[in-house]
Amino acid sequence: MWQDAESRVYLIQQLHTTTALGNSAISVDNKLKVEACREQEHKLSALEMDLSAARQEGFVSKERPENDSTRSKKRLLAVIGIITTFGRKKNRDAIRKAWMGSGAALRKLEEKGIVVRFVIGRSANRRDSLDREIDNEHRQTDDFIVLNQVEAPEESSNKIKFFFVHAVESWDAEFYVKVNDDVYVNIDTLGATLSAHSDKPRVYMGCMKSGQVFSEPTHKWYEPDWWKFGYAKSYFRHASGEIYALSRALAQFISINRSILRIYAHDDVSAGSWFIGLDVKHVDERKFCCSPSSTGSICTAI
């Protein structure tokens, strides 16, 4: 639309010049410009209609969705999305008990500027027993983000993408954090670490790594697009998937460009790929490196 608008300004000027000629002869060149101008006007009108329809369907909004978080003048420190799936209630209950809290404790955490939610999609067979179990659990705990996205291993990258889209459009925060549901998080350490980087505009923070790209279809970590990574078969630098954080500008970037962001077989690789070529500060924070005995770190693997 931006490019069309620039062209349209020039072409309208040409149209006005041509119109001022009255009944005098119009050159072929000017005639083509008039037709091009009319075509641009038609395109702009069509785009405006598409934009209006998208707003009505909820895909685009003029204003941030209104809720308790967005009405608050004070910006949150972080929105944490714990990526979970069907059949993992035991993990979720353990997380609620260990560090997330529930009920009043969860709301008290939000008053301190940190929102925590479990993130899950929908069953491929909508409204089946899997969906009903999550709906029932959500009614009891009120701590889920349920995405309109099929819950499946091959959809993990899309799931992560739409978590960030939902989070940045629902809450105004300094950071948006992705966490797996087999990780315990030290909220105080996480909050202090994020606060130390809140003055930087575009931060991608985590336990940075590279790693081998596997081209064998039978391998657990097979990458169908392995050929794109060259003869060395090595991934670019990206944050390990257990936990990583994005500053608000990067989450907004994902939301705006959701329809054209490339995804790979693994969600941590996909997230890292979205920031290649951008002026982003990659923060290799070793406190984000999880292990069963991560003393002094942000996370501990279950």
Side-chain angles (χ1 to χ4, degrees), residues 51 56 96 116 121 175 197 215 248 253 266 271 274 276:
L51 184 59
Q56 292 177 1
R96 291 183 182 108
V116 187
F175 291 94
H197 295 276
S215 57
R248 184 164 48 96
F253 172 81
H266 313 299
W274 299 334
I276 293 177

Side-chain angles (χ1 to χ4, degrees), residues 109-263:
L109 190 60
E110 293 177 11
E111 292 174 3
K112 294 181 179 179
I114 298 178
V115 169
V116 187
R117 296 289 187 273
F118 290 106
V119 181
I120 196 167
R122 285 295 189 184
S123 170
N125 303 311
R126 296 298 176 94
R127 299 183 179 87
D128 64 4
S129 61
L130 295 175
D131 276 352
R132 290 195 297 272
E133 286 175 7
I134 293 299
D135 290 340
N136 290 335
E137 186 179 347
H138 184 37
R139 276 192 291 270
Q140 296 172 11
T141 60
D142 192 25
D143 58 6
F144 277 88
I145 294 172
V146 181
L147 300 172
N148 189 25
Q149 165 81 25
V150 173
E151 183 66 35
E154 63 272 17
E155 292 293 331
S156 62
S157 292
N158 274 322
K159 181 178 177 180
I160 300 304
K161 177 172 66 174
F162 285 106
F163 155 63
F164 286 118
V165 170
H166 176 92
V168 79
E169 291 183 353
S170 300
W171 291 282
D172 184 17
E174 295 287 351
F175 291 94
Y176 299 84
V177 184
K178 178 259 182 180
V179 183
N180 283 347
D181 71 352
D182 57 357
V183 170
Y184 286 174
V185 174
N186 185 321
I187 286 289
D188 292 336
T189 305
L190 174 62
T193 304
L194 294 176
S195 296
H197 295 276
S198 61
D199 60 330
K200 302 178 180 67
R202 293 171 300 279
V203 174
Y204 173 37
M205 188 187 320
C207 180
M208 295 295 169
K209 64 176 185 177
S210 293
Q212 182 180 354
V213 178
F214 294 97
S215 57
E216 301 80 16
T218 57
H219 197 281
K220 178 181 179 181
W221 304 115
Y222 170 59
E223 173 57 72
D225 286 326
W226 58 267
W227 60 275
K228 293 183 179 180
F229 297 91
Y231 293 112
K233 291 186 179 180
S234 179
Y235 285 119
F236 41 76
R237 208 70 169 160
H238 62 279
S240 179
E242 286 85 0
I243 178 172
Y244 57 86
L246 308 179
S247 61
R248 184 164 48 96
L250 297 187
Q252 289 174 330
F253 172 81
I254 293 172
S255 178
I256 293 168
N257 296 283
R258 71 190 78 172
S259 63
I260 59 173
L261 292 177
R262 182 73 174 84
I263 60 171

